[in-house]
Amino acid sequence: MANKYPHTPDGRYFVAKNRLWRCTDPHLSEDEKRTHIKALMKARRAVRSAQQQNDETALRQAREGVQAAKEALGERGPVWWQDGAPDQGGFAPHNSSYADWWKEHASD
């Protein structure tokens, strides 16, 4: 099955809504990924519930849970690669070090 979103050649990001989004750390085991994804889904459900209940305290806690799960997955927080390259998450691909790749990819 092909990826729905294009991935940068180095596997660090995928492109959605014209933004680079950091991929999950490929060094995590399947069990680790599954555990963190379950925590992320639980935290996202808690965010939705807190919003529906208009509970600011619960919302803050739920968002902290989302952040913690995303960091555990390597999608936020310190980067998971070791070569010193900066995080370009949130950049438009044409305004990043991936601009040449994106130009070629977008013209396919």
Side-chain angles (χ1 to χ4, degrees):
M1 179 174 142
N3 285 323
K4 181 177 177 181
Y5 303 104
H7 284 67
T8 57
D10 58 15
R12 293 177 181 170
Y13 302 95
F14 65 92
V15 179
K17 298 182 181 179
N18 199 38
R19 292 285 177 249
L20 294 168
W21 298 89
R22 200 185 318 165
C23 292
T24 299
D25 182 348
H27 303 104
L28 294 175
S29 71
E30 286 303 314
D31 285 343
E32 288 172 310
K33 276 196 275 192
R34 194 173 11 263
T35 297
H36 298 315
I37 289 170
K38 283 182 180 181
L40 176 60
M41 295 299 104
K42 181 178 180 181
R44 285 180 170 166
R45 286 189 299 273
V47 166
R48 185 174 59 240
S49 176
Q51 288 172 328
Q52 291 170 344
Q53 296 173 15
N54 203 24
D55 184 337
E56 289 299 318
T57 301
L59 181 59
R60 185 172 42 260
Q61 290 173 340
R63 286 185 172 154
E64 288 172 1
V66 169
Q67 179 70 17
K70 296 289 256 175
E71 286 183 15
L73 287 164
E75 297 173 8
R76 292 188 187 155
V79 298
W80 45 261
W81 49 88
Q82 303 294 317
D83 64 5
D87 185 9
Q88 297 184 65
F91 286 32
H94 64 274
N95 286 332
S96 73
S97 65
Y98 300 98
D100 291 340
W101 164 80
W102 185 245
K103 187 187 315 180
E104 288 184 25
H105 184 82
S107 65
D108 289 345

